[in-house]
Amino acid sequence: DLSVKYGTPNACSGCHKDKDDAWAAKNFTKLFGAVDSIHFSEKLAPGITMQPNGHEGLIDLMHDKNQPEIVRASATKVLSNYNAQNFVQDYISLLNDDSALVRGASVDVLSSVNTSEYASYFLPLLEDPKRSIRIKTFFGLGNVSESEIPEAYKESYQKVKKEFFTHLKTNADFVGARIKKGNYYIKKGNLQKGIESYESALEIDNINNQIRLNLATLYYNNKQYEKAEETFKEVIRQEPEFGPVYYSLALLYAEINRVDDAIIQLKKATKIMPKNIRVYYNLGLLFDKKQDYKNAEKYVIAGLKVEPTNEGLLYVLAYVYSKSDQRNKAKNIVQKLIQLYPNNQQYRSFLNQL
């Protein structure tokens, strides 16, 4: 049963709160018999839960035209869990698929990768018979300037441009349309217009903290640090148990050299996200910056307890030891790095310096 394998929800244990997934699977088999065929969910669920090699089943589903369109499109989207950049050719091959759902899903994923690189594959879709595909394609071409559009597609581009903005205007009462507009301007490199669109989205849905987090990041990227800080803090006020916001606020403080404030936020993050390696990594760097090598060592070692062979943490620990005159410890760590990552010549140079 998928619930036993991957922890997916099911109606049985969802109703029988005192029973577990194993009980549900056993009783299902008792009542209805063993499943005698492979359901698409056997390939989809591992990808959704990001199991090792889960991408293999997703690729099978994407290209299996015997599967329902919605299943193939879902697999196409979920494959991006495994870094869409690694599967570009699979996505490109689906841009001409018979299914509009699959074409649209492929456009959506490629749009988030690097559309300008794949513009030549997108351009024909400006003339797709489905309006939704044309609009997705125009959005995907957002980081391509109009002057770069080939002459053969300029007329189609202008027609779809009108469709795109008409679509946004028609749906302006919905958060999604305002976010879409913001993301389009961000693709165009116009951060200020992107910010304005995200601000207008919050006017509709003031408790949507995913929008608020994105807006805070936009403020940060636009060097509007005070607004970014206040926006991150508002997320904390509304969702104090959401760990990533403490991490993001810490990075902001580090950027503007408020090191002590950054450390406070990262310490909070360790309590909520004790397995997040980047939190320990940044704590190590910040304590090193303060020349507090004892605490730098403490937090890096705490991270290594979570992931003992983490390359970044091991390197920071070796660096801290070398700066605090613990050369033998530094050598031991660097030798471990060389053993784990023999192709990285930087570590051999580091060892020679020690």
Side-chain angles (χ1 to χ4, degrees), residues 286-350:
L286 289 175
F287 276 118
D288 171 72
K289 187 174 184 177
K290 288 170 61 70
Q291 297 184 336
D292 184 347
Y293 302 125
K294 183 176 180 180
N295 271 313
E297 177 188 18
K298 171 186 172 181
Y299 282 101
V300 171
I301 288 176
L304 286 168
K305 288 179 180 178
V306 179
E307 192 175 318
T309 60
N310 184 274
E311 186 175 5
L313 287 175
L314 287 170
Y315 182 79
V316 171
L317 185 58
Y319 182 72
V320 168
Y321 283 149
S322 70
K323 289 183 67 178
S324 56
D325 294 325
Q326 300 182 71
R327 292 188 177 273
N328 287 333
K329 286 186 176 182
K331 286 180 179 179
N332 290 336
I333 299 299
V334 176
Q335 286 170 346
K336 185 174 182 178
L337 280 167
I338 292 171
Q339 182 182 5
L340 290 169
Y341 308 100
N343 294 326
N344 193 326
Q345 296 302 314
Q346 177 185 1
Y347 300 143
R348 298 186 186 277
S349 298
F350 191 0

Side-chain angles (χ1 to χ4, degrees), residues 180-294:
K180 193 81 168 179
K181 184 177 182 180
N183 289 339
Y184 172 77
Y185 283 122
I186 293 166
K187 277 178 169 286
K188 284 294 186 188
N190 192 330
L191 274 183
Q192 188 53 46
K193 279 198 171 184
I195 286 170
E196 290 169 5
S197 296
Y198 268 81
E199 288 173 338
S200 70
L202 274 180
E203 291 173 4
I204 299 176
D205 187 358
N206 192 45
I207 61 172
N208 190 321
N209 280 329
Q210 186 57 61
I211 296 174
R212 187 168 277 108
L213 280 170
N214 291 342
L215 177 59
T217 302
L218 288 174
Y219 285 142
Y220 172 83
N221 292 337
N222 209 36
K223 301 188 184 305
Q224 296 173 257
Y225 298 129
E226 289 184 7
K227 284 189 173 183
E229 178 184 9
E230 182 52 39
T231 305
F232 281 133
K233 285 183 174 179
E234 180 58 29
V235 176
I236 291 173
R237 282 190 285 269
Q238 293 190 23
E239 296 187 53
E241 297 303 314
F242 184 62
V245 67
Y246 296 96
Y247 179 74
S248 296
L249 181 57
L251 294 185
L252 167 64
Y253 285 147
E255 176 72 18
I256 58 179
N257 207 31
R258 289 170 58 178
V259 175
D260 290 335
D261 289 330
I263 288 172
I264 290 171
Q265 298 305 318
L266 287 174
K267 285 182 176 180
K268 291 178 180 178
T270 61
K271 295 178 181 178
I272 301 173
M273 305 186 300
K275 294 185 178 181
N276 188 308
I277 296 301
R278 299 301 298 178
V279 175
Y280 299 107
Y281 176 83
N282 281 283
L283 274 168
L285 292 179
L286 289 175
F287 276 118
D288 171 72
K289 187 174 184 177
K290 288 170 61 70
Q291 297 184 336
D292 184 347
Y293 302 125
K294 183 176 180 180

Side-chain angles (χ1 to χ4, degrees), residues 36-50:
D36 58 1
S37 62
I38 297 177
H39 189 260
F40 66 77
S41 56
E42 291 283 356
K43 294 182 177 181
L44 191 59
I48 292 174
T49 54
M50 298 182 68

